[in-house]
Amino acid sequence: MGHAKTSYVCLPCRASYKQPYDAWRERHCPRCARVMIHAGSAFQPPRRRDRNAWRALSVVLNSGIGFHKSCCGGPGWRPRTLREVKERTAYAHRNGEPVARALLRYDLP
């Protein structure tokens, strides 16, 4: 039985690769050789030319938020645009909420 495939992301190249998960092994981008970020098995990359979506994704992944399957299916809502990211980070700073938690909010109060 093989290992489950999961996504690894290279933000500078705006590329995603499905590879077997191994918590002890760094994955390197085949295009630029940088270390990739483990994004999770439920990750769906934006189109490479969608710079706005990749910038939003960069904030999400660098906040420690992944795209992992849950008991109910997918990873749940994640911001896809810079506007959504900026609204949630501003909310977090105004209200003292951790940015990672605010980024997971579908609606802001």
Side-chain angles (χ1 to χ4, degrees):
M1 186 168 145
H3 292 281
K5 297 269 182 160
T6 189
S7 290
Y8 290 87
V9 174
C10 179
L11 294 169
C13 292
R14 295 193 305 269
S16 171
Y17 303 94
K18 290 275 190 189
Q19 298 183 358
Y21 177 70
D22 182 350
W24 307 109
R25 183 173 163 219
E26 282 187 343
R27 302 293 178 157
H28 295 269
C29 177
R31 300 176 94 200
C32 71
R34 290 185 177 107
V35 174
M36 295 191 293
I37 298 172
H38 177 230
S41 59
F43 177 72
Q44 294 294 319
R47 293 187 183 275
R48 185 170 282 140
R49 66 182 173 266
D50 189 347
R51 289 180 182 266
N52 183 28
W54 279 94
R55 287 177 65 198
L57 176 63
S58 176
V59 174
V60 170
L61 291 176
N62 286 314
S63 295
I65 298 170
F67 294 78
H68 305 284
K69 292 179 182 172
S70 68
C71 64
C72 302
W77 186 83
R78 302 289 189 265
R80 292 188 165 270
T81 66
L82 280 178
R83 179 178 179 214
E84 292 170 340
V85 166
K86 288 176 182 177
E87 289 170 346
R88 281 149 186 81
T89 54
Y91 173 83
H93 293 301
R94 278 194 315 270
N95 296 290
E97 182 172 71
V99 172
R101 186 180 313 157
L103 287 170
L104 297 174
R105 288 182 172 273
Y106 179 75
D107 287 317
L108 295 175

